[in-house]
Amino acid sequence: MRIMKKVIARFGMSALKDPSKPVRKLPVSRLDLARMGIPARKIPRVMLELQRASDADPSLEDRVTLLHLARAFAAMLI
């Protein structure tokens, strides 16, 4: 239980998935991100951040908007 509290405190409540909300499939694939020039080591984290952003704001369904966000997320990652 202590470990779970530390995980939540470190990552926030977004680390936990809400089972009541259905997970929507992103219209962006790993291949799309690779074609944009995002390094392979960053792609899993960028996909995770895109999924979180899409889940938080349902209006983020547009593929072009998600690709712009992906580029911004990749630039912020080390």
Side-chain angles (χ1 to χ4, degrees):
M1 190 63 169
R2 282 184 153 174
I3 294 172
M4 183 59 83
K5 286 183 182 179
K6 287 181 182 179
V7 168
I8 293 171
R10 184 170 178 193
F11 294 109
M13 289 305 291
S14 63
L16 300 176
K17 299 218 184 256
D18 187 6
S20 64
K21 290 184 180 178
V23 176
R24 295 183 299 141
K25 185 166 169 52
L26 291 175
V28 177
S29 70
R30 297 172 69 90
L31 183 60
D32 295 331
L33 298 181
R35 286 180 182 155
M36 288 176 48
I38 297 175
R41 63 182 171 80
K42 291 185 179 182
I43 289 177
R45 179 64 189 265
V46 170
M47 290 294 287
L48 177 68
E49 294 300 330
L50 285 176
Q51 186 67 51
R52 285 182 182 173
S54 178
D55 288 345
D57 187 4
S59 67
L60 292 175
E61 295 177 346
D62 185 30
R63 177 180 163 83
V64 174
T65 305
L66 288 173
L67 289 174
H68 285 293
L69 273 175
R71 189 174 302 254
F73 287 148
M76 286 189 283
L77 293 174
I78 294 175

